[in-house]
Amino acid sequence: MASESHHKENLHNLQLEDEGQHRNPSEVKMSQIVLPCHANHCGELSIGQLLKWMDCTACLSAERHAGCPCVTASVDDIYFEHTIGVGQVVNIKAKVNRAFNSSMEVGIEVSCEDLYSGRHWRVCQAFATFVAKRTDANKVQLRQVVPCTHQEQVEHSLAAERRRMRLIHHDIMQDLLNNKTFQRKNHDEDEALPTERTRVESVELVLPPHANHQVNTFGGQIMAWMENVATIAASRLCHDHPTLRAIDMFHFRGPSQVGDRLVLKAIVNNTFKNSMEVGVCAEAYHGDEPLRHINSAFMTFEVLDEKGRPCPLPPIKPEPQEGQRRYQEALARKKIRLDRKYIISCKQTEVPLSVPWDTSNQVYLSYNNVSALKMLAAKNNWDLCSKKNNVSLYTVEESQSLCFRVEFEMEIPAQRAFILLSDISRRHEWDQHYTLCKLLLRVDEDDFIYQVVTPSVSKGGQYQDFILLASRRPPCDSGDPYVIALRSVALPSHPPTEEFHRGEVVCAGFTIYEVSKSVSKISYYNQASPEVLPYISTDIAGLSSSFYSIFCACSLFIIYISYTMAIQSAFHRNNKKQYSLKVHK
Ligand code: COA
Ligand code: ADP
């Protein structure tokens, strides 16, 4: 009964969304007119002030969902697309995309409005994580967010993958920074500017207006102070007005309270052709207590000419030891930033096929792989094209692509289907299109790179091969599917050979939903590239039903293997029992 009324409510919300009327219950909006007191000496809104407004809006949204005080735990990368002038209006919208246990992801959108022309444009988008503060010894368990509209469903699904990425971010960065392949020699000493002159140290006393009613310093206030010292460091290098372009993902390691002294330190770590990286560190102390590390952030600045084009920047000469290390690490971060921007901020259809895989972009390629599949699965314009027994074939035709989905339910626990289907090296056992599948690289415990060989579509034609990244993800919580995502990547160690025609997969994979303890709904998705299209086009045209025979083979494989596994484990149990009986005798 409850689920029926919930279903009705969802339908109602979807209808409202179509009519543009649905409002997410956690949504909070803030509009501010930019006054001279919010601006820098060039009449542009200071990014520090913007960060305070963004953090405040997001915190109110998090607290509306949580029903208790929340603190900023982290903020993902932010790219600022435009500056905002005095007299313009800043509109900020924040809503909770997903709640996990005690933390939640808040999506923040910032746009600017010119009151005279009525024009609106996007300034940036950010994802912040807020944690509900524990009241006693126990962690707060937040209620789940129920996505109502199609867009909310997409964000809810992607939030799980973004969370995964931010929780491993620190370790990934450490591994990459230790990777010596990023090292480069310093510039010619003569033309390089010493960085020491850019060093800034500044102290702030945390007063009640900087904190919430729980006396915790606002994350946005700390970010604003950090941006202030970073801007001073950048200005000391360029002797001009620097514009903040991006802030890398960061984490508030520990809280700060009213009465704390915050020490903020910044220095230019490196300059590139048209941009520079400034690092900032925030530490707190109280009385004689030792310094507590609160936060470190890396900000990218540019200097723009009167036409808004970035100007070249001089090379720098870092200080020995720490300065040298930061100089090298800034290079590694620059490479990672470029990869991330290239892979993540591209629209799904614009991400090139077969992006070269390497350790520095691995985490973003995996994110792209899983999010592309989740977005394909979340499309709301799937058409049923054909059905045979319990196997259905759906398609979505869009201007640039044709996607298909094959779906069936079978009697198998979802987790077991996931284990069996995510072992791509066994796929040739049920899919005649997979002649061979070789594991090339085990990236981590959830991501693998395979070479897959498939027969030619035309008679007597050349065999094709694909280099596929397979990313498997168990559900983040109940109601989520198991996901196995596949996309092409290019591996420098495995270039195309004359033996095979190299094919490419844009986006493919499985989602597996638990229908009941023993029944799963298995969906196979594929955004058909020219290499894949001929296999399925006759099915879509209704001339054949090869999808049916393949998926019958797939379910037979799953049943057969899980039956074998069940027999084996019964055999082991039996052996163990007999062994323990013998021991006892
Ligand atoms: N990014 C996003 N979320 C993170 C995170 C990060 N880098 N690190 C931890 N979290 C999440 C965890 O996933 C967990 O979420 P869950 O409960 O939904 O599973 C939650 O934070 C709590 O994690 P836990 O392991 O219990 O605590 P912790 O010791 O890692 O502490 C904070 C995490 C955020 C509570 C702690 O670092 C803190 O108090 N930071 C300061 C927050 C603050 O005061 N900010 C305002 C400015 S100072
Ligand atoms: P790391 O040194 O590994 O980069 P930290 O958290 O110590 O990490 O510092 C973050 C950034 O803050 C540094 O990259 C640097 O740019 C800046 N920073 C740290 N310490 C100082 C300092 N004493 N003076 C000026 N800037 C500093």
Side-chain angles (χ1 to χ4, degrees):
M1 210 49 206
S3 83
E4 195 184 318
S5 69
H6 175 65
H7 180 65
K8 273 193 189 147
E9 192 186 321
N10 264 358
L11 282 178
H12 178 64
N13 283 328
L14 282 169
Q15 206 178 340
L16 288 179
E17 178 194 33
D18 289 343
E19 293 161 18
Q21 290 173 21
H22 168 73
R23 177 144 185 183
N24 183 301
S26 71
E27 185 179 293
V28 171
K29 289 179 180 178
M30 181 189 274
S31 288
Q32 297 278 354
I33 191 152
V34 179
L35 300 175
C37 62
H38 302 131
N40 57 30
H41 57 282
C42 296
E44 291 164 356
L45 171 64
S46 98
I47 297 281
Q49 178 61 62
L50 178 62
L51 292 169
K52 276 203 265 185
W53 286 336
M54 286 165 69
D55 181 64
C56 178
T57 318
C59 183
L60 295 182
S61 168
E63 290 187 349
R64 181 176 269 188
H65 179 77
C68 65
C70 297
V71 289
T72 324
S74 70
V75 182
D76 296 0
D77 312 320
I78 315 179
Y79 296 95
F80 298 97
E81 294 169 26
H82 297 280
T83 53
I84 306 170
V86 168
Q88 291 175 328
V89 168
V90 181
N91 295 308
I92 305 173
K93 202 159 80 174
K95 67 178 165 60
V96 177
N97 289 332
R98 185 163 187 153
F100 303 101
N101 301 307
S102 65
S103 70
M104 62 225 107
E105 179 189 280
V106 183
I108 312 163
E109 278 169 30
V110 182
S111 64
C112 179
E113 177 184 349
D114 187 285
L115 291 173
Y116 300 113
S117 66
R119 230 163 46 88
H120 287 250
W121 59 94
R122 193 171 106 135
V123 173
C124 67
Q125 185 193 28
F127 296 102
T129 304
F130 282 79
V131 174
K133 273 193 72 181
R134 54 179 88 204
T135 39
D136 46 37
N138 299 322
K139 254 171 85 162
V140 175
Q141 182 61 49
L142 293 167
R143 72 189 156 89
Q144 291 199 353
V145 169
V146 181
C148 291
T149 66
H150 178 248
Q151 191 52 36
E152 284 173 15
Q153 274 160 7
V154 174
E155 288 303 339
H156 186 265
S157 171
L158 297 185
E161 192 56 20
R162 282 192 289 261
R163 175 181 193 248
R164 181 182 190 276
M165 195 162 62
R166 63 179 78 95
L167 291 182
I168 57 172
H169 177 259
H170 178 76
D171 294 346
I172 297 273
M173 289 304 280
Q174 278 324 108
D175 280 357
L176 292 172
L177 296 180
N178 294 334
N179 185 340
K180 294 283 177 276
T181 54
F182 291 118
Q183 304 243 334
R184 200 185 69 176
K185 268 185 71 186
N186 293 352
H187 281 274
D188 204 348
E189 297 262 311
D190 292 342
E191 47 174 304
L193 292 177
T195 46
E196 190 50 29
R197 65 160 81 158
T198 70
R199 189 187 291 278
V200 185
E201 182 175 322
S202 178
V203 70
E204 299 281 352
L205 171 62
V206 182
L207 296 171
H210 304 132
N212 61 17
H213 47 292
Q214 306 290 316
V215 300
N216 276 103
T217 318
F218 275 121
Q221 179 61 68
I222 295 180
M223 290 192 272
W225 283 330
M226 292 172 86
E227 189 266 345
N228 172 50
V229 288
T231 304
I232 298 173
S235 311
R236 283 186 179 162
L237 183 106
C238 62
H239 299 296
D240 208 322
H241 168 63
T243 300
L244 180 57
R245 278 292 180 218
I247 306 179
D248 290 4
M249 182 189 290
F250 63 80
H251 172 210
F252 284 100
R253 294 157 185 250
S256 148
Q257 283 94 23
V258 168
D260 273 349
R261 275 72 171 160
L262 271 190
V263 182
L264 301 134
K265 295 172 188 162
I267 195 164
V268 173
N269 284 337
N270 208 336
T271 57
F272 311 103
K273 192 165 166 286
N274 292 324
S275 65
M276 67 180 110
E277 182 196 276
V278 181
V280 203
C281 172
E283 291 165 312
Y285 71 92
H286 201 107
D288 296 336
E289 289 167 14
L291 284 170
R292 299 169 344 248
H293 188 181
I294 300 290
N295 198 336
S296 288
F298 299 96
M299 305 189 183
T300 304
F301 287 87
E302 283 175 350
V303 177
L304 304 175
D305 66 13
E306 61 288 349
K307 288 194 173 142
R309 291 171 307 203
C311 306
L313 291 169
I316 58 146
K317 188 165 70 186
E319 291 293 290
Q321 292 168 1
E322 285 290 88
Q324 281 286 353
R325 173 181 63 80
R326 289 175 182 146
Y327 178 95
Q328 295 297 348
E329 292 183 352
L331 281 172
R333 278 190 292 268
K334 163 87 177 165
K335 156 99 176 78
I336 295 163
R337 241 172 251 137
L338 284 175
D339 284 340
R340 186 174 56 207
K341 198 165 176 189
Y342 179 61
I343 298 167
I344 293 191
S345 36
C346 267
K347 286 204 185 96
Q348 216 60 59
T349 48
E350 289 167 7
V351 179
L353 294 172
S354 291
V355 185
W357 181 94
D358 73 35
T359 43
S360 73
N361 67 15
Q362 164 219 312
V363 62
Y364 309 113
L365 270 176
S366 297
Y367 170 79
N368 175 277
N369 193 17
V370 176
S371 62
L373 182 67
K374 286 187 167 186
M375 276 154 84
L376 180 58
K379 281 188 188 293
N380 55 2
N381 49 348
W382 286 103
D383 285 327
L384 179 64
C385 165
S386 173
K387 186 167 178 158
K388 192 164 174 189
N389 297 333
N390 67 339
V391 185
S392 307
L393 173 67
Y394 297 84
T395 54
V396 176
E397 261 185 88
E398 283 168 358
S399 57
Q400 300 286 318
S401 68
L402 171 76
C403 306
F404 66 88
R405 164 174 134 216
V406 181
E407 196 162 270
F408 58 103
E409 274 188 20
M410 65 178 293
E411 204 155 317
I412 178 101
Q415 192 192 18
R416 184 163 295 175
F418 172 66
I419 293 169
L420 294 175
L421 291 175
S422 58
D423 185 359
I424 312 289
S425 58
R426 298 196 72 165
R427 183 145 161 190
H428 66 277
E429 293 180 36
W430 58 269
D431 187 349
Q432 67 195 42
H433 298 135
Y434 274 50
T435 311
L436 181 125
C437 185
K438 196 163 91 187
L439 178 65
L440 300 180
L441 191 68
R442 190 176 192 280
V443 178
D444 55 42
E445 59 185 48
D446 293 323
D447 296 84
F448 306 83
I449 299 180
Y450 293 95
Q451 182 191 25
V452 171
V453 175
T454 65
S456 158
V457 193
S458 58
K459 224 175 176 190
Q462 207 185 5
Y463 272 66
Q464 301 190 100
D465 78 340
F466 298 81
I467 304 295
L468 296 184
L469 169 66
S471 309
R472 56 177 198 195
R473 302 284 183 269
C476 181
D477 54 42
S478 61
D480 276 348
Y482 290 86
V483 172
I484 304 160
L486 301 165
R487 68 155 292 149
S488 275
V489 289
L491 258 194
S493 55
H494 288 78
T497 58
E498 284 191 355
E499 195 185 345
F500 303 114
H501 168 76
R502 176 64 51 90
E504 291 190 311
V505 170
V506 192
C507 169
F510 294 91
T511 62
I512 304 159
Y513 277 93
E514 185 177 280
V515 177
S516 68
K517 283 251 172 306
S518 59
V519 177
S520 309
K521 184 171 83 182
I522 301 179
S523 311
Y524 174 72
Y525 295 87
N526 200 313
Q527 182 174 337
S529 56
E531 290 84 2
V532 178
L533 204 54
Y535 292 119
I536 196 79
S537 56
T538 51
D539 282 1
I540 295 172
L543 300 172
S544 66
S545 48
S546 61
F547 71 92
Y548 176 71
S549 34
I550 293 172
F551 285 89
C552 283
C554 174
S555 47
L556 275 178
F557 163 81
I558 294 175
I559 290 168
Y560 172 73
I561 301 291
S562 51
Y563 182 65
T564 321
M565 279 161 66
I567 293 180
Q568 275 172 355
S569 68
F571 180 72
H572 282 303
R573 267 202 312 273
N574 206 15
N575 269 0
K576 247 189 184 167
K577 220 172 167 181
Q578 285 185 0
Y579 173 78
S580 66
L581 278 176
K582 265 189 203 162
V583 171
H584 280 100
K585 272 182 192 167

